[in-house]
Structure formats: C-alpha cells, structure tokens
Amino acid sequence: MKGYNPQEIEEKWQRIWDERGIYNVSEDPEKKKYYVLEMFPYPSGRIHMGHVRNYTIGDVIARYKRAKGYNVLHPIGWDAFGLPAENAAIQHGVHPAKWTYENISQMRQQLKRLGFSYDWRREVTTCDPSYYKWEQMVFVRMLERGLAYRKSSVVNWCPSCETVLANEQVEEGRCWRCKSRVESKEMEGWFFRITDYAEELLDGIEKLRGKWPERVLTMQRNWIGKSVGAEIDFPLIEPVDGIDALRIFTTRPDTIFGATFVCIAPEHPLAERLVKGKSQESEALDFINRIKKQSNVERLAEGLKKEGVFTGSYCLNPLTGETIPIYVANFVLMEYGTGIIMCVPAHDQRDFEFAREYGLPIRVVIKPEKEELNPESMRAAYEESGIMVNSGEFSGLPSEVGKEKIIEYIESKGIGKRKVNYRLRDWGISRQRYWGAPIPVIYCDRCGVVPVPDDKLPVELPLNVEFTGRGGSPLAKLESFVKTTCPKCKEPARRETDTMDTFVESSWYFLRYVSPDFDRGMFDREKVRYWLPVDQYIGGIEHAILHLLYARFFTKVLRDLGMCELDEPFSSLLTQGMVIKDGAKMSKSLGNVVDPDDMIKKYGADTVRVFMLFAAPVEKDLDWSDEGIEGAFRFLNRVWRLVTDSLSRIESFKGVRPDPNSVSDSARELLVKVHKTIRKVTLDLERFQFNTAIAAIMELLNSTSRFEIKGEEDVPVLRESVETIIRLLYPMAPHISEELWELVGYRETLVDKPWLEWDGKLLESESITIVIQVNGRVRSQIVMDSEADEDEVKRAAFSDERVKSYIAGKEIKKVIVVPKKLVNIVV
RNA sequence: GCCCGGGUGGCGGAACUGGCAGACGCAUUGGACUUAAAAUCCAAUGGGGCGUUGCCCCGUGUGGGUUCGAUUCCCACCCCGGGCACCA
C-alpha cells in the first residue's frame, strides 16, 4: 500500500470539488441558512500564516455546518483599495491596478491550494467600479440626508508625503511610511455622521453580549465613551461680542458649589477675545499660539504637566454668585463638550493639580462618609461620591441625589440643561490618495457642492495617472478628471479629488456577497433577507474597533435609507489570536516569517490546517513551532497507516453493523470510545474548541491502533472506528479524509455526508468507575453498573478492601454520594 | 490611573455545572528494528519521600475564607498581556 502523499491527493480532491462546484450555494427556503464569513484579505501579495489560521477556522465551521444540514454561505473577496498599491507604484513604477490584480490572482491560487470551501462565483473585488459604484450612490444618499457632510478640522499631516494620515497611521508622532514628524493641520474634508448613531451603537453592544467577545464590546463601549451630565451657563462679568455667558459641560453638577475657576481650551475662538485689551494679553496670546502649534501627539506626549494662563476676565459661579477667574489651559480639549469647563479642584484631580500650580482656592463640597477633608492638607482630589456640604440649600444631600436636584434647579432657572456627551467623533473619510473610491461630488462656483447624479455613477477612477509620490494626490493633477461641468447649471466645475477611506468598502462587502453581480442596486434585498445577518464572523482582534464599529454603523445607515431591514450585521464574532514565532509577531525585519507555501510544499495543506487548529485555542496567540507541525504531520501519517493497514481486514465488512452484545470486551470498550469521541468532537466543534476536538480524535486513533481483533464479530467494530476517525477528521483535514473514505470503499464524497450521530444508549448502558474518597482524598475506585442506586454504591464502597483499611476503627461522620461519580466518606 | 483578559509540568495546552489535576501533542530519556542513520514502534517523564514496582506527602501566581471536597466560588494581594488614557 502506498504511503501518504499529500501533494497528490490534495490536488486530486481540489480538482474534484472544483469541477463539481460543490460549494456553490443558492437560496433554499426549505433549509436553515448559515452565513459564515472571515474578514477578507488585503491583497498584499502573498497570504501569511495569520490568513491561514483565520480561513482554516472558517472552513472547519463551514464544512461542519454543511454536514449538519445547513445551507451554508461561505464567500471570499478582496479588500483591494489601499496605500501599499500606491507605494508600489511610486517605488517600482507598477500601476496600482496591475499590482493589485496580480496579487489577487496569486493569493487566490494560494487559498485554493489550502482547500478552502468557498463559493468562488461570489468573489468580490472592492476596487472594481461595479463594486464602488454602489458605495458612491450611498454616499450621495447620505449627503442628501445630512449624514455625510464637509467640514474643516485638525488632522495629522505628513509634510514629506504631503498627505493626511489617519490616527492609526501615526506611530509615536511619526509617519509610519517615511518616519517624518507628523504635524497638526486644519483641513477640509468629508465626514460621516457616526455620532448620530452613538446611542444606538451603544445599545446594540448590550444585545451582542455573550455573542461577541467581552473585550471587543468593552473596547467599543470605551470608544463611544458616553458620559451623562449637564451644560451650565457661567455669566461673564463683561460680555464679549454679545456673548454674555460661558457654557460649560460637566458630569458632576453636584460639585458646582466648589467651582472656583473656569478653564477654556486654547483653540476656543472665545479664548483670544477674552484676553483682548487685558494686561495679560500678550502673555496669554503667546501661550495660546504655542499650544496650538503642537500636534495632538506632542500635546498628549507632554501629557501630565498642566499649564495655563489667566485671561484677565472673570465670570460668576451661577450657584454661589461668586466672581471667579477664567484661565486658558492646555488640558482642556476643544473637541469635547463645549471646550470650556468649570474647575472643582477639591473633587477633580486635574483641577486640583492646576489649582495647586497657580495658587487657586480649593473648596470642599463633597464630604466622604468617615473622614474630614482639609483643603490645605489634601494631597489629591476626592473624586468619589459622598454628602454635599457648603452647597447652600443642597447641603446634606447624598451627591448622587444632589446631581439630579442641581440639574432640575438649573433647568428651572433656564441657565442650563441635562446633556449627554460622547467621546466618539464623526468619521473622517477623505483621503488625499489615488488608490481609492472617488468621492462623487462636484464643486461649482455657482451651485456649490453638487452630488454626481445617479445615472452618471460610478465616478470611475482614471487609470492614466502619474505616480511621483510628491505634490499630493495624482488625481488632483489630472486635468481631464478634475475639469467637468456642473450637473445642475452645466457651467464648468471641478471634481472632488479626494478618495474614500478604504474602511468604507469593508463596511458593506458582506452584503455584496449575497448578489455579487446585482446591477440594480447595492444588493438584492430579498437575498439579504434570506442570508443576513452573518451568523459567524471570524477575524483578528486588531479590528475590534475600527472595522467592526464602522460596519455596524454603515448597516444602520443602509437600514435608515430604507435599503434593508438589518440592525446588526454580525450575530456572533470570533476573534482569533495572532500567529507568532519565538514570542514575537512574524515580520520581515525579525526574520521569523514562516511562509505558508513552504509548509504546504513540505507537509501538505491538511497538516498545516491541523497544526493551526491543534496548537492553541482559537482566541489565543499561536506560537509557531517547527516540531509542532511535524507532530501534526505524524498524526495524519498514523491515520493513513491505520486505514491502509486495516484495509484488507475490514474490506468485506462494508455496511455490517457491530453487535455490541456479541463482541469481545475490548471491542465493546472500543465501540464505546468511538461514540464518546463522536459526542466529544461534535460538542467541541459547536464551541469552536478545535484543539480538543483533534485531541479526542488522536485518542481514538491511539485506542484503535492498539486494538486487537479477538474474533470475526469484532471486525465491524474496527471498521466503524476507522470510518469514524475519517469522518470526524473531515472538517479539519478534508483532503486526506476524502481519499481514505474512497479507499475504504465509498463513492460519494464526504462533502455530502451528514454529520455522525452518537449512540446515546450505548453510552448509558456502560458500567461506571466510581471514585471513593476518604476525607476528600481519593483512596480507591470501584466499577459499578450505571444503574446502581445510592445504597448499592455505598455498600460497595464500604466493602472495598482499601477503603476498609482507611476507616477501620474510626467513627463515620458523614457519607456523600454523587450519583455516577464518587463517594466521599468523612471520618 | 481606569477597564478587560490571563497566571496549571521543561514547552503548547486539557479538566462538563465544585468531584481522580496534568487528557492530547511537543521535547527529553531508555529500549526494539537497522551494518548505521532516518522513519517507525514500545516504555518512562510535576516535585519530594520511603519500608522502592507499590504506597505516602506536597503541588494549578501568593495569603486567607466557604465546602465533605476548590484549578473551578468569595475576599485581599502580586505578576503578565491587551485596550483606553488629561473626555471634565
């Protein structure tokens, strides 16, 4: 018999699966649907071990669910827009389109070589105009509804690349590409109003509890950063430009009697007006300008040092009626709240530090339960709740109650209102880059911003551009693209040359898979109704916030545009850990990269898959081990050998059911093991515990290899065990399983075979080993019939010789019997 | 600082809902096969002890608690990983 030759059999089965199109699915109202999706890859050139792990997990789930009778949708595509393509163009003169499509065709071959069960007819590529056309149309709808808008804001600017960088593209204050220092710059750009959905996105998190990893939910919750409080007016002593009060935001209205000064952000337009004509003017303006020049990164890096300068202006504390000073301070953020805060040094650590630095009064207004606070000797602010003191008519109230009372009071006086703030900012989607979906708007001197009409979509990305890496986006320099006519007045106009953030494409690709060729809209609504939501989404933890939050937001927008009925796109989320080597992420610079192709060449796809699943639980990081993959290869070889070695013995027993009552004891034991393994593997696959599922198959393999046939009636047991191993292994290592299945005499492929069921009766009727403890320590074991009642078990326990020696001459205080498990005798 | 995870042999890891800690794999050691090696197979492998082939004690980050019984539950602390970090 031939040895295990993975190259040969893997190619064979991949061809057979492909020819028969066995993974192609369509809607079937008779069957329960299951949509399993892995995060699609960026076509960087070659797949890496992280992809292999991600897609192997998805493939096991897809094959298992299919065997369980589900109509399984399992698609793949390409997140094909992005900066690396443009860099390749700048550095090597290859056009981004050519580079991207060549990478895709290479990576597609690699995925096929791993035997993943995709419906390849549904492949989507986001840089294709037939894909981004729909995204542009949605952009226009959003624009019409005010969900997309243009504004000026402070961005990260790389002076060398002459482009904006997203926050995540800034590493320690430097450009991730050219390492030059990033500057802050005010720029116009397009935004999606994700903040309108802050509350719903937060609510949704509660509904995803238990189905998404808690960590991801926590990260999203923090990112949205809801805080409840109030906005309150602090009247100015001298009004400026008709403004007679400063509106502040606070989450602690209960501490307002302790507000001894007010701070304003340096970027706040009022800051400069407040200092005008004051003796502090030049000093204050110097400070404001110095802080404004710092990039966000620098300002955060300088971090803990609180700095400020007195404006020379005063306002009133609206509750105490006291006159208090107004400062400009570096720790106040323009983007959050109103950009102005009331400062309560006794009960806020930042205000406390600032007050100590500048000698401002500290007044205690919240008293802790037990201790007394002394403003002179306090070393830190008291930020917890307590009893209100020095707070006029509110004194004596618990601070939590006082918070409500003060809000009611200021609302009744018309000097403020209850207010909820979010840390979440609107999503800036403009990129001064070429390789992305053009933003479909036209600027007309007469009509202003005009969206491109639907019948003129898509705005195709022109391919005849030059890549110099200098002077901004190549699009802006392409006159034939920029020059156009206004759709409204037909006069000459200019096109927007920014492209969309690539996270926009990945915010809806999972919807496009249901009808990839649909040309009357983004997707076929009926098909979305059938397939969505995604039942199981699988990907790396690195997308915990960005992609997963954007996709949730975009789904809700599409719903509100009346395009679908979906609230949440991904019912369940599985985040797999990274693949690392020698304790570090695989990277070229560390020289610890393991190439999947090399491993496939050496061991075959099945071995690579099995190792990925066996080496660690899915959520944890997986440390690559050369010895480990050898072990996986050995395991498959042993399976191969078991089957081929037993072939002649079991060949003529096809379809013969073993009779548990007439087989030898060891055969019966094996048969029980077979069914226990079916149960274990099934339950493990349901919970995505692939490592223990494989361990269970290994155990069964060991038992079967050791098994010796005692008589003719034992042979069907051996056969059943062999067949079980093949079939349980199938979702993880499909090629070898198919080949061995054929070898043991079957013509139909395993793809079509329903999943195995275990025989519950066989497992129940077993005799059971019961552990006997004396004082909680294991002292003996007895074998009992599983039907035995408590008294029988007790009697057997007391008559056990070893137990007798432990309890001899001692008083029995208590006997605990756990049915079918153990007896504990306390003496 | 705050919020999540997580600490189990030499290593990756297992243990249902409180019930035999260390499944399975790797590595190591010894043996078989071989002229030899590789491959393969068999055996041992948490620590310590002894009357040494069978048994005893200790042992799941540390210290306490609940319980007949704790890797599992509760309290306090230590360490590691990740996220957020002047968000008022």
Side-chain angles (χ1 to χ4, degrees), chain A residues 763-778:
Chain A
L763 297 184
E764 272 170 35
S765 65
E766 253 315 271
S767 54
I768 288 174
T769 303
I770 289 175
V771 168
I772 305 173
Q773 303 182 326
V774 177
N775 287 345
R777 314 191 74 105
V778 179

Side-chain angles (χ1 to χ4, degrees), chain A residues 768-771 784-791 793-794 815-824:
Chain A
I768 288 174
T769 303
I770 289 175
V771 168
M784 296 291 295
D785 192 274
S786 61
E787 308 287 284
D789 64 22
E790 212 179 299
D791 275 347
V793 173
K794 226 187 256 188
V815 179
I816 291 127
V817 178
V818 182
K820 297 183 179 183
K821 282 216 174 101
L822 68 85
V823 178
N824 188 9

Side-chain angles (χ1 to χ4, degrees), chain A residues 70-354:
Chain A
Y70 289 90
N71 194 27
V72 175
L73 176 59
H74 187 213
I76 189 78
W78 310 98
D79 190 9
F81 273 137
L83 201 58
E86 212 166 325
N87 287 345
I90 294 163
Q91 284 157 22
H92 305 115
V94 197
H95 194 280
K98 185 175 185 308
W99 185 84
T100 302
Y101 280 102
E102 280 176 6
N103 286 348
I104 287 174
S105 75
Q106 173 154 209
M107 290 171 76
R108 187 190 295 118
Q109 285 319 307
Q110 289 185 296
L111 294 183
K112 289 194 167 176
R113 184 61 192 82
L114 279 154
F116 297 137
S117 59
Y118 298 120
D119 181 349
W120 283 100
R121 301 170 310 166
R122 295 171 183 269
E123 185 178 355
V124 304
T125 307
T126 61
C127 63
D128 191 303
S130 71
Y131 180 87
Y132 63 72
K133 169 179 179 177
W134 305 110
E135 183 171 311
Q136 291 176 335
M137 196 172 281
V138 166
F139 177 93
V140 173
R141 294 291 94 77
M142 289 174 76
L143 179 59
E144 289 160 359
R145 299 217 175 188
L147 286 171
Y149 66 96
R150 204 171 153 73
K151 76 167 178 190
S152 189
S153 70
V154 178
V155 293
N156 304 303
W157 179 259
C158 174
S160 153
C161 306
E162 297 183 62
T163 187
V164 167
L165 297 175
N167 284 335
E168 61 272 23
Q169 288 154 4
V170 181
E171 292 168 353
E172 288 165 355
R174 291 171 185 279
C175 173
W176 69 289
R177 188 163 61 152
C178 68
K179 308 292 173 205
S180 47
R181 195 166 267 283
V182 171
E183 296 171 357
S184 283
K185 187 170 173 175
E186 179 125 353
M187 268 188 82
E188 287 238 333
W190 287 96
F191 287 81
F192 283 163
R193 220 177 277 282
I194 191 169
T195 52
D196 271 15
Y197 287 81
E199 196 59 42
E200 206 198 326
L201 287 166
L202 205 54
D203 278 350
I205 288 173
E206 296 312 309
K207 291 176 202 139
L208 295 170
R209 267 244 169 85
K211 312 197 79 184
W212 279 35
E214 195 52 43
R215 275 202 298 151
V216 176
L217 296 179
T218 311
M219 282 163 76
Q220 291 211 354
R221 211 177 286 118
N222 289 344
W223 190 263
I224 294 168
K226 179 180 182 174
S227 49
V228 181
E231 283 186 359
I232 306 173
D233 288 333
F234 279 55
L236 284 165
I237 303 294
E238 304 164 53
V240 285
D241 303 340
I243 294 161
D244 54 12
L246 297 180
R247 173 151 280 208
I248 61 95
F249 173 73
T250 180
T251 55
R252 293 293 302 272
D254 52 311
T255 64
I256 189 166
F257 283 85
T260 52
F261 57 100
V262 160
C263 283
I264 184 166
E267 298 87 349
H268 200 294
L270 267 181
E272 290 179 26
R273 310 237 187 104
L274 286 168
V275 300
K276 198 158 187 189
K278 301 288 192 298
S279 59
Q280 293 82 356
E281 181 169 352
S282 66
E283 190 199 346
L285 286 178
D286 283 351
F287 175 76
I288 290 170
N289 288 329
R290 178 161 66 81
I291 300 296
K292 273 165 96 172
K293 245 191 258 159
Q294 290 179 339
S295 69
N296 286 339
V297 181
E298 277 175 317
R299 197 159 148 189
L300 289 178
E302 279 178 38
L304 301 169
K305 177 106 175 72
K306 281 164 194 57
E307 275 189 277
V309 61
F310 179 43
T311 57
S313 290
Y314 294 89
C315 63
L316 288 180
N317 179 322
L319 270 85
T320 63
E322 282 170 305
T323 298
I324 57 174
I326 303 166
Y327 278 71
V328 187
N330 66 340
F331 69 94
V332 183
L333 304 173
M334 184 58 211
E335 313 88 70
Y336 190 77
T338 61
I340 311 174
I341 60 171
M342 70 173 194
C343 295
V344 185
H347 305 293
D348 181 287
Q349 186 58 28
R350 295 156 299 185
D351 301 347
F352 181 83
E353 286 168 30
F354 193 85

